[in-house]
Amino acid sequence: MARKTGSHAQITGPKIRSEALRLFARHGFAAVSMRQIAAAVGVQAGALYLYTPDKEALLFDLLKTHMDELLEAWAGEPRGAGPVEALEAFVRFHIRFNLSRPDAVFLSYMELRNLGSANFVMIEDLRKAYERELEEILIAGQQAKVFAIPDTKLATMALIAMLTGVTTWFREGGRLSQARIAAIYWDMARKAVGA
Amino acid sequence: MARKTGSHAQITGPKIRSEALRLFARHGFAAVSMRQIAAAVGVQAGALYLYTPDKEALLFDLLKTHMDELLEAWAGEPRGAGPVEALEAFVRFHIRFNLSRPDAVFLSYMELRNLGSANFVMIEDLRKAYERELEEILIAGQQAKVFAIPDTKLATMALIAMLTGVTTWFREGGRLSQARIAAIYWDMARKAVGA
DNA sequence: GTCTATAAACCGATAGAC
DNA sequence: GTCTATCGGTTTATAGAC
């Protein structure tokens, strides 16, 4: 099938998302103009509106995709039999996944406030579903008496904040390898829950 | 001394800072216009420039003040003799102080990128100085063999991220009191460092 | 599918009146 | 100290040519 000159939908669509993700994470959603995104992609600003109805929808698409991929990746992650093994799997998975997508992680933290309330609730629910995955591990370990946790809800929030924090300071080629960092965090997480 | 009609410098100055802090935290620095801040204060946009040379200087003033107050408050905080007591003091102080200023904490995390490089470095150095306070406690405890920490630098980042995370979900009048939350976090922090 | 051109609104910051 | 008015530039989003 013949296409008009300058037709590159299969390239432009993904490129808009990747450049928008990079720019939003670097400068903030409100600070980035549609013209900047278009320039980074290599098209004119008007062309963006063939791929997104408006700027907020572009942000929502990025956040929704990230959360979907996060939950899907965790669902497909192998994990051991007991709560301790499951917690170790979660800790290592969370660090590995988040470090592979630092821009998306940062965006999911910072730019939820730029979403309308309906979109906000949708992303928020996915985030809660992910947190629930960790809490269920903690509850199982608590019931099996292999964890000693004063409050599983607080432990969930504490562990996720601790693990996600890695993305704010980790730099490739730094003092410690990603594997070493994951091992150290697993050690601290394990101790924190009394395992 | 007589003043002209409409002269309220002693009220307007602090109010500009408090309203700007609230709006920047809520919507993001770039998303908030000087006109919005002025409207919240109850003056016209032009009047803001009697109190700040430009918008970025207003943001910097907020962040600098916050970091100065944080370091000053910690410097004046009573703490016990040993590393364990010092760590407990730090944990409780960090939670208490940050929960008393959630907007400033959020801003300090998210909007550093809107600072010019000179201003950025200044805030960053203050943040590092604060982190160093915690790391020195961990190092002292490690040397005294009352902590068992694989890496004091990583433990510092892990603990601060864990503790700061409280500000993202805590709501006054929620399930747990602030004192109870601090006690639970202290329990997890203590275990995490092997004390 | 992309471009150019443009509408309508808003931005940060300043000048001058009071 | 504050206001009104405004400059010069930017914004999101759309219309119509190709």
Short mmCIF file of all heavy atoms in Angstrom, two decimals, chain B residues 55-98:
data_model
loop_
_atom_site.label_atom_id
_atom_site.label_comp_id
_atom_site.label_asym_id
_atom_site.label_seq_id
_atom_site.Cartn_x
_atom_site.Cartn_y
_atom_site.Cartn_z
N LYS B 55 11.00 34.80 39.54
CA LYS B 55 10.29 33.62 40.01
C LYS B 55 11.25 32.57 40.58
O LYS B 55 10.95 31.96 41.61
CB LYS B 55 9.47 33.03 38.85
CG LYS B 55 8.43 32.02 39.26
CD LYS B 55 7.73 31.46 38.01
CE LYS B 55 6.83 30.30 38.36
NZ LYS B 55 6.31 29.64 37.13
N GLU B 56 12.35 32.36 39.92
CA GLU B 56 13.29 31.34 40.41
C GLU B 56 13.85 31.70 41.77
O GLU B 56 14.06 30.84 42.62
CB GLU B 56 14.44 31.12 39.41
CG GLU B 56 15.30 29.93 39.80
CD GLU B 56 16.66 29.89 39.11
OE1 GLU B 56 16.70 30.11 37.89
OE2 GLU B 56 17.67 29.64 39.80
N ALA B 57 14.11 32.98 41.99
CA ALA B 57 14.64 33.41 43.28
C ALA B 57 13.64 33.13 44.39
O ALA B 57 14.03 32.82 45.53
CB ALA B 57 14.99 34.90 43.25
N LEU B 58 12.37 33.22 44.07
CA LEU B 58 11.33 32.89 45.05
C LEU B 58 11.39 31.41 45.42
O LEU B 58 11.36 31.05 46.61
CB LEU B 58 9.96 33.25 44.46
CG LEU B 58 8.72 32.99 45.31
CD1 LEU B 58 8.82 33.64 46.67
CD2 LEU B 58 7.48 33.49 44.57
N LEU B 59 11.55 30.56 44.42
CA LEU B 59 11.68 29.12 44.68
C LEU B 59 12.94 28.84 45.50
O LEU B 59 12.90 28.09 46.48
CB LEU B 59 11.75 28.36 43.35
CG LEU B 59 12.05 26.85 43.46
CD1 LEU B 59 10.95 26.12 44.20
CD2 LEU B 59 12.25 26.25 42.06
N PHE B 60 14.04 29.45 45.09
CA PHE B 60 15.31 29.23 45.81
C PHE B 60 15.18 29.64 47.27
O PHE B 60 15.63 28.92 48.17
CB PHE B 60 16.44 30.00 45.15
CG PHE B 60 17.74 29.91 45.90
CD1 PHE B 60 18.48 28.74 45.90
CD2 PHE B 60 18.21 30.99 46.62
CE1 PHE B 60 19.67 28.64 46.60
CE2 PHE B 60 19.40 30.90 47.33
CZ PHE B 60 20.13 29.72 47.32
N ASP B 61 14.55 30.78 47.51
CA ASP B 61 14.36 31.26 48.88
C ASP B 61 13.60 30.23 49.72
O ASP B 61 13.95 29.96 50.87
CB ASP B 61 13.61 32.60 48.86
CG ASP B 61 13.35 33.13 50.26
OD1 ASP B 61 14.33 33.33 50.99
OD2 ASP B 61 12.18 33.31 50.62
N LEU B 62 12.57 29.64 49.12
CA LEU B 62 11.79 28.63 49.84
C LEU B 62 12.64 27.41 50.18
O LEU B 62 12.60 26.89 51.30
CB LEU B 62 10.58 28.21 49.01
CG LEU B 62 9.52 29.29 48.77
CD1 LEU B 62 8.48 28.80 47.77
CD2 LEU B 62 8.85 29.68 50.08
N LEU B 63 13.40 26.94 49.20
CA LEU B 63 14.20 25.73 49.41
C LEU B 63 15.35 25.99 50.38
O LEU B 63 15.63 25.17 51.25
CB LEU B 63 14.75 25.24 48.06
CG LEU B 63 13.69 24.81 47.04
CD1 LEU B 63 14.34 24.37 45.74
CD2 LEU B 63 12.82 23.70 47.60
N LYS B 64 16.00 27.14 50.21
CA LYS B 64 17.12 27.48 51.10
C LYS B 64 16.64 27.61 52.54
O LYS B 64 17.26 27.07 53.46
CB LYS B 64 17.75 28.79 50.62
CG LYS B 64 18.91 29.30 51.47
CD LYS B 64 20.15 28.44 51.31
CE LYS B 64 21.40 29.15 51.79
NZ LYS B 64 21.34 29.55 53.20
N THR B 65 15.55 28.31 52.73
CA THR B 65 14.99 28.47 54.07
C THR B 65 14.67 27.11 54.69
O THR B 65 14.97 26.85 55.85
CB THR B 65 13.72 29.33 54.03
OG1 THR B 65 14.05 30.61 53.51
CG2 THR B 65 13.11 29.48 55.41
N HIS B 66 14.07 26.25 53.90
CA HIS B 66 13.71 24.92 54.40
C HIS B 66 14.94 24.14 54.84
O HIS B 66 14.96 23.57 55.93
CB HIS B 66 12.96 24.14 53.33
CG HIS B 66 12.68 22.71 53.71
ND1 HIS B 66 11.84 22.37 54.75
CD2 HIS B 66 13.15 21.54 53.22
CE1 HIS B 66 11.80 21.06 54.86
NE2 HIS B 66 12.60 20.52 53.95
N MET B 67 15.96 24.13 54.01
CA MET B 67 17.17 23.36 54.34
C MET B 67 17.88 23.96 55.56
O MET B 67 18.38 23.22 56.42
CB MET B 67 18.12 23.31 53.15
CG MET B 67 17.59 22.52 51.95
SD MET B 67 17.01 20.84 52.34
CE MET B 67 18.50 20.09 53.00
N ASP B 68 17.93 25.28 55.62
CA ASP B 68 18.55 25.93 56.78
C ASP B 68 17.81 25.57 58.07
O ASP B 68 18.42 25.25 59.09
CB ASP B 68 18.55 27.45 56.59
CG ASP B 68 19.60 27.90 55.59
OD1 ASP B 68 20.50 27.11 55.27
OD2 ASP B 68 19.51 29.05 55.11
N GLU B 69 16.50 25.63 58.00
CA GLU B 69 15.70 25.31 59.19
C GLU B 69 15.86 23.84 59.59
O GLU B 69 15.90 23.51 60.78
CB GLU B 69 14.22 25.63 58.95
CG GLU B 69 13.95 27.12 58.92
CD GLU B 69 12.50 27.45 58.58
OE1 GLU B 69 11.72 26.51 58.28
OE2 GLU B 69 12.14 28.64 58.61
N LEU B 70 15.96 22.97 58.58
CA LEU B 70 16.15 21.54 58.85
C LEU B 70 17.46 21.30 59.59
O LEU B 70 17.50 20.64 60.63
CB LEU B 70 16.14 20.77 57.53
CG LEU B 70 16.48 19.28 57.59
CD1 LEU B 70 15.42 18.50 58.35
CD2 LEU B 70 16.68 18.70 56.19
N LEU B 71 18.53 21.86 59.06
CA LEU B 71 19.85 21.66 59.67
C LEU B 71 19.93 22.31 61.05
O LEU B 71 20.51 21.75 61.99
CB LEU B 71 20.94 22.21 58.74
CG LEU B 71 21.26 21.29 57.56
CD1 LEU B 71 21.99 22.04 56.46
CD2 LEU B 71 22.07 20.08 58.01
N GLU B 72 19.33 23.49 61.16
CA GLU B 72 19.35 24.20 62.44
C GLU B 72 18.55 23.42 63.49
O GLU B 72 18.98 23.30 64.64
CB GLU B 72 18.78 25.61 62.26
CG GLU B 72 18.96 26.50 63.47
CD GLU B 72 18.32 27.87 63.25
OE1 GLU B 72 17.78 28.11 62.14
OE2 GLU B 72 18.35 28.69 64.18
N ALA B 73 17.40 22.91 63.08
CA ALA B 73 16.56 22.17 64.03
C ALA B 73 17.25 20.90 64.50
O ALA B 73 17.21 20.56 65.69
CB ALA B 73 15.21 21.84 63.38
N TRP B 74 17.91 20.22 63.57
CA TRP B 74 18.62 18.99 63.96
C TRP B 74 19.80 19.31 64.87
O TRP B 74 20.08 18.59 65.83
CB TRP B 74 19.09 18.22 62.73
CG TRP B 74 20.02 17.10 63.07
CD1 TRP B 74 21.32 16.96 62.69
CD2 TRP B 74 19.74 15.95 63.88
NE1 TRP B 74 21.87 15.82 63.22
CE2 TRP B 74 20.92 15.16 63.95
CE3 TRP B 74 18.59 15.50 64.58
CZ2 TRP B 74 20.99 13.98 64.68
CZ3 TRP B 74 18.68 14.31 65.30
CH2 TRP B 74 19.86 13.57 65.34
N ALA B 75 20.48 20.42 64.57
CA ALA B 75 21.62 20.82 65.41
C ALA B 75 21.17 21.10 66.84
O ALA B 75 21.92 20.87 67.79
CB ALA B 75 22.31 22.05 64.83
N GLY B 76 19.94 21.58 67.01
CA GLY B 76 19.44 21.90 68.34
C GLY B 76 18.67 20.77 68.99
O GLY B 76 18.09 20.93 70.06
N GLU B 77 18.66 19.60 68.32
CA GLU B 77 17.87 18.47 68.82
C GLU B 77 18.64 17.71 69.90
O GLU B 77 19.80 17.36 69.70
CB GLU B 77 17.54 17.54 67.65
CG GLU B 77 16.63 16.39 67.99
CD GLU B 77 15.16 16.81 68.12
OE1 GLU B 77 14.86 18.00 67.91
OE2 GLU B 77 14.34 15.95 68.45
N PRO B 78 18.03 17.45 71.05
CA PRO B 78 18.72 16.63 72.05
C PRO B 78 18.86 15.20 71.57
O PRO B 78 17.95 14.67 70.94
CB PRO B 78 17.80 16.72 73.27
CG PRO B 78 16.45 17.03 72.70
CD PRO B 78 16.68 17.84 71.46
N ARG B 79 20.02 14.61 71.82
CA ARG B 79 20.21 13.21 71.43
C ARG B 79 21.01 12.48 72.49
O ARG B 79 21.82 13.07 73.20
CB ARG B 79 20.90 13.14 70.07
CG ARG B 79 22.29 13.74 70.05
CD ARG B 79 22.72 14.09 68.65
NE ARG B 79 22.25 15.42 68.28
CZ ARG B 79 22.61 16.06 67.17
NH1 ARG B 79 23.40 15.50 66.30
NH2 ARG B 79 22.14 17.27 66.90
N GLY B 80 20.80 11.19 72.60
CA GLY B 80 21.45 10.40 73.63
C GLY B 80 22.94 10.23 73.42
O GLY B 80 23.51 10.73 72.45
N ALA B 81 23.55 9.49 74.29
CA ALA B 81 25.00 9.34 74.28
C ALA B 81 25.48 8.44 73.16
O ALA B 81 26.34 8.82 72.37
CB ALA B 81 25.46 8.79 75.63
N GLY B 82 24.95 7.25 73.08
CA GLY B 82 25.47 6.26 72.14
C GLY B 82 24.86 6.36 70.75
O GLY B 82 23.92 7.12 70.52
N PRO B 83 25.40 5.58 69.81
CA PRO B 83 24.90 5.56 68.43
C PRO B 83 23.44 5.12 68.31
O PRO B 83 22.70 5.64 67.48
CB PRO B 83 25.83 4.57 67.73
CG PRO B 83 27.05 4.51 68.58
CD PRO B 83 26.58 4.73 69.98
N VAL B 84 23.05 4.17 69.12
CA VAL B 84 21.66 3.69 69.07
C VAL B 84 20.71 4.82 69.47
O VAL B 84 19.70 5.07 68.80
CB VAL B 84 21.45 2.46 69.98
CG1 VAL B 84 19.99 2.03 69.95
CG2 VAL B 84 22.35 1.31 69.54
N GLU B 85 21.06 5.50 70.54
CA GLU B 85 20.22 6.61 70.99
C GLU B 85 20.23 7.74 69.96
O GLU B 85 19.21 8.40 69.72
CB GLU B 85 20.72 7.15 72.35
CG GLU B 85 20.51 6.19 73.51
CD GLU B 85 21.54 5.07 73.55
OE1 GLU B 85 22.54 5.17 72.79
OE2 GLU B 85 21.35 4.10 74.30
N ALA B 86 21.39 7.98 69.36
CA ALA B 86 21.49 9.03 68.34
C ALA B 86 20.64 8.68 67.12
O ALA B 86 19.97 9.56 66.54
CB ALA B 86 22.95 9.23 67.94
N LEU B 87 20.66 7.43 66.74
CA LEU B 87 19.86 7.01 65.59
C LEU B 87 18.37 7.15 65.89
O LEU B 87 17.60 7.63 65.05
CB LEU B 87 20.18 5.56 65.18
CG LEU B 87 19.40 5.03 63.98
CD1 LEU B 87 19.64 5.89 62.74
CD2 LEU B 87 19.76 3.57 63.68
N GLU B 88 18.00 6.77 67.09
CA GLU B 88 16.59 6.92 67.47
C GLU B 88 16.18 8.39 67.43
O GLU B 88 15.11 8.74 66.92
CB GLU B 88 16.32 6.34 68.85
CG GLU B 88 14.86 6.56 69.28
CD GLU B 88 14.47 5.82 70.56
OE1 GLU B 88 15.36 5.19 71.18
OE2 GLU B 88 13.27 5.86 70.90
N ALA B 89 17.07 9.24 67.94
CA ALA B 89 16.78 10.68 67.91
C ALA B 89 16.62 11.17 66.47
O ALA B 89 15.72 11.95 66.16
CB ALA B 89 17.89 11.46 68.62
N PHE B 90 17.49 10.69 65.58
CA PHE B 90 17.42 11.13 64.18
C PHE B 90 16.12 10.66 63.53
O PHE B 90 15.44 11.44 62.84
CB PHE B 90 18.63 10.60 63.39
CG PHE B 90 18.68 11.12 61.99
CD1 PHE B 90 19.39 12.28 61.69
CD2 PHE B 90 18.00 10.48 60.95
CE1 PHE B 90 19.44 12.78 60.40
CE2 PHE B 90 18.04 10.99 59.66
CZ PHE B 90 18.76 12.14 59.38
N VAL B 91 15.78 9.42 63.74
CA VAL B 91 14.56 8.87 63.14
C VAL B 91 13.33 9.66 63.58
O VAL B 91 12.51 10.08 62.76
CB VAL B 91 14.39 7.38 63.51
CG1 VAL B 91 12.99 6.89 63.17
CG2 VAL B 91 15.45 6.54 62.80
N ARG B 92 13.24 9.87 64.88
CA ARG B 92 12.07 10.58 65.40
C ARG B 92 12.06 12.04 64.96
O ARG B 92 11.02 12.60 64.62
CB ARG B 92 12.03 10.48 66.93
CG ARG B 92 11.78 9.05 67.41
CD ARG B 92 11.62 8.99 68.93
NE ARG B 92 11.45 7.63 69.40
CZ ARG B 92 10.27 6.98 69.42
NH1 ARG B 92 9.17 7.59 69.01
NH2 ARG B 92 10.19 5.74 69.85
N PHE B 93 13.25 12.65 64.96
CA PHE B 93 13.34 14.03 64.51
C PHE B 93 12.94 14.16 63.04
O PHE B 93 12.16 15.04 62.66
CB PHE B 93 14.77 14.57 64.68
CG PHE B 93 15.02 15.84 63.93
CD1 PHE B 93 14.58 17.06 64.42
CD2 PHE B 93 15.67 15.82 62.70
CE1 PHE B 93 14.79 18.24 63.71
CE2 PHE B 93 15.88 17.00 61.98
CZ PHE B 93 15.44 18.20 62.49
N HIS B 94 13.48 13.31 62.20
CA HIS B 94 13.23 13.40 60.75
C HIS B 94 11.74 13.28 60.44
O HIS B 94 11.19 14.06 59.66
CB HIS B 94 14.02 12.33 60.01
CG HIS B 94 13.99 12.48 58.53
ND1 HIS B 94 14.90 13.25 57.83
CD2 HIS B 94 13.14 12.00 57.58
CE1 HIS B 94 14.62 13.21 56.54
NE2 HIS B 94 13.55 12.46 56.36
N ILE B 95 11.10 12.31 61.06
CA ILE B 95 9.67 12.13 60.83
C ILE B 95 8.88 13.34 61.34
O ILE B 95 8.04 13.89 60.63
CB ILE B 95 9.17 10.83 61.50
CG1 ILE B 95 9.73 9.62 60.77
CG2 ILE B 95 7.64 10.78 61.52
CD1 ILE B 95 9.41 8.29 61.42
N ARG B 96 9.20 13.76 62.55
CA ARG B 96 8.47 14.88 63.15
C ARG B 96 8.65 16.17 62.33
O ARG B 96 7.69 16.85 61.99
CB ARG B 96 8.94 15.10 64.59
CG ARG B 96 8.37 16.34 65.27
CD ARG B 96 8.59 16.30 66.78
NE ARG B 96 9.83 15.66 67.17
CZ ARG B 96 11.02 16.25 67.22
NH1 ARG B 96 11.13 17.54 66.90
NH2 ARG B 96 12.10 15.59 67.58
N PHE B 97 9.90 16.48 62.00
CA PHE B 97 10.17 17.72 61.26
C PHE B 97 9.54 17.69 59.87
O PHE B 97 8.89 18.65 59.46
CB PHE B 97 11.69 17.94 61.15
CG PHE B 97 12.06 19.28 60.58
CD1 PHE B 97 12.24 20.38 61.41
CD2 PHE B 97 12.22 19.45 59.21
CE1 PHE B 97 12.58 21.62 60.89
CE2 PHE B 97 12.56 20.68 58.68
CZ PHE B 97 12.73 21.77 59.51
N ASN B 98 9.72 16.61 59.17
CA ASN B 98 9.20 16.54 57.80
C ASN B 98 7.67 16.55 57.76
O ASN B 98 7.08 17.13 56.85
CB ASN B 98 9.74 15.31 57.08
CG ASN B 98 11.15 15.52 56.60
OD1 ASN B 98 11.77 16.55 56.85
ND2 ASN B 98 11.70 14.54 55.90
#
